[in-house]
Amino acid sequence: MTDDLNQWQKLAAKELKDRPLDALTRTTLEGIAIKPLYTAKDTLDLPHMGALPGFEPYTRGVKATMYAGRPWTIRQYAGFSTAEASNAFYRKALDAGQQGVSVAFDLATHRGYDSDHPRVTGDVGKAGVAIDSVEDMKILFDGIPLDRVSVSMTMNGAVIPILASFIVAGEEQGVLRAALSGTIQNDILKEFMVRNTYIYPPEPSMRLVGDIIEYTASDMPKFNSISISGYHMQEAGANLVQELGFTLADGREYVRSAIARGMDVDAFAPRLSFFFAIGMNFFMEAAKLRAARIIWHRVMSEFGAQMPQSLMLRTHCQTSGVSLQEQDPYNNVVRTAYEALAAVLGGTQSLHTNALDEAMALPTEFAARIARNTQLILQEETGVTDVVDPLAGSYYVESLTASLVDQAWALMQEVEELGGMTKAVASGMPKLQIEDSAARRQAAIDRAETVIVGVNKYKLNSQDPIDILDIDNVAVRDGQIARLQKLRANRDEVASTQALAEMTRRAKEGGNVLEAAVEAARARATVGEMSMALEEVFGRHSAKTQTLKGVYGAAYANDSDFAALKDELATYSQTRGRVPHMLVVKMGQDGHDRGAKVIASAFGDLGFQVDVGPLFQTPEEAARDAIAAGVDLVGISSQAAGHKTLAPLLVNALRAAGADHILVICGGVIPSQDYQFLYDAGVKAIFGPGTHIPDAARDILHLLQRPRN
């Protein structure tokens, strides 16, 4: 082996001529050095080697036969404005080969607001289905046999009323809760780190997680009580070590919490599941799932779990939304196919594939069909299901698996030193680490060190528009309000009030809150009312806003163009007697703040004075903050399709207050078809997905220099 390796090095050096062999070694965002060649020497003495599929530590899969015995479950995560529209999509997809339903809720529902609440004007039906009560839930699953079709629900904030409404909808369909199968995400720790669709503070939120684990362990043996999610961490900018380490640390915390309630680990652990993102780092993503199974086996062994099902990590995966691009969007079909293959080679139990147009809006039926067929082709045409774990024994993949195990475990130990994940989240450590990673990755893209085809290399000179789905938010909200009014007029008000009071009592004095919520749902209490019944005791959480300094700018330390832009900003500041002052806002219930934080960090490093407003503002609140701070411009960060409602309201609020000298700009997931509407509403500049941040900063500086009308 040594002689062969020496000969390879000589041959490689000859082929490279003037370049050193070390030039072929690269370091990933995770800090892992990737060599150009791996040999048997790299896999010597790796502790995970040797075990067969279905055997501990489950590196090669949780089933002995894996896909050769049964392929992974094809799921499509979807929610379209109304329960009726979503139901039609689910039924058509099931008829076309989809094997389970995965529900996307709108942001008003996530945050525990009914559709008639004044804070959710721009959110109802825009990024998922609006669910206000059992009546909506019954329509959502009309004609879908809940005793045969498993249902996955991505819900964390309003998890109690949503799960209660699902249980009652099943019962009224004739399906007892013991026969219901599927998963509720119920992963609140992740919300405080990245996604921000929380309602209550961390401690009472953790109590509600425990109530659900307890209730489902007793009454819903086929239902997974929690899906511990790394997906949203990667979408927020986490590298793969962070996604792996923080996700499994969350899982460890949930297990610890359930055991502290007196539950036996083997009574609930078999119903825990995980959810990971699958991005474009092909082999590392496959290795990540293998590493996750090794680490989870280690964690559960430490808790004394005895049943094999308690020691196995089962996971759902979704191809990355962040890797999708608005520019040259048909490339997204290719990206999704590669990501889907990586998830399958990593051994996922179920999979959702994103549609090509999801960088701009909810998927059209055409795009969703291509995404679903991507999985059907993988299962039926490629032969990938013929062999159990075909990557096993790969020198590179096995070495990469070991590296991920070691680095993720070290990160988990950092969390333990802080007192566990609940305390780590309260300290802000995971959130800041993820935001640091996001800023570094964005700088690498902007500098074209990380190539994105069609965005920073191989760009099209012009791009043909594609059809996208446009939701009439006003019509959806009007329909939901009418249904709420009818429900409240026809229900037994005394029974509903009493059931809500019992939820409040249990929140205050003890007892399983989900059990009480099921009774409230039967009495036709709404999602918002049930959430408020708990809020009376727990309060509503408000996060502190922190921004990074120096991370984005450090990547441009020796860049002459970046330095020239900083000089131009300095000259502007000297001329005007102040640096340009920007307020970055997130309005509505959209908690995805990766873009806002990266922009704030990058613009601050360039020389702007940047304030970041609190999450979940109304346009009127954002306008008041902008005026009070005396800013030159307000930057709206939008990712959940509320821009057509919220941006004009902000412009009008500033104008009504006599502050129309404050410029309004928009950035984020905004389809080009919406640009003219926003310009006509008074927005001065729009920066869509894939925007080069220094170019955007220069455009904004020039905008500020123009004479004002």
Side-chain angles (χ1 to χ4, degrees), residues 25-34:
T25 297
R26 65 181 185 84
T27 301
T28 70
L29 191 62
E30 295 77 13
I32 296 174
I34 303 298

Side-chain angles (χ1 to χ4, degrees), residues 196-209:
N196 299 313
T197 55
Y198 45 70
I199 300 176
Y200 316 111
E203 288 192 9
S205 296
M206 284 294 290
R207 176 190 159 185
L208 298 180
V209 170

Side-chain angles (χ1 to χ4, degrees), residues 655-689:
R655 187 175 295 146
D660 51 357
H661 62 282
I662 297 176
L663 305 181
V664 175
I665 63 173
C666 287
V669 181
I670 301 174
S672 58
Q673 290 91 324
D674 292 349
Y675 283 18
Q676 194 57 52
F677 173 89
L678 293 174
Y679 288 137
D680 292 343
V683 172
K684 298 301 181 183
I686 302 167
F687 302 98

Side-chain angles (χ1 to χ4, degrees), residues 111 284 457 548 613 692:
R111 294 269 294 149
M284 189 175 285
K457 197 173 183 180
L548 293 169
H692 182 261

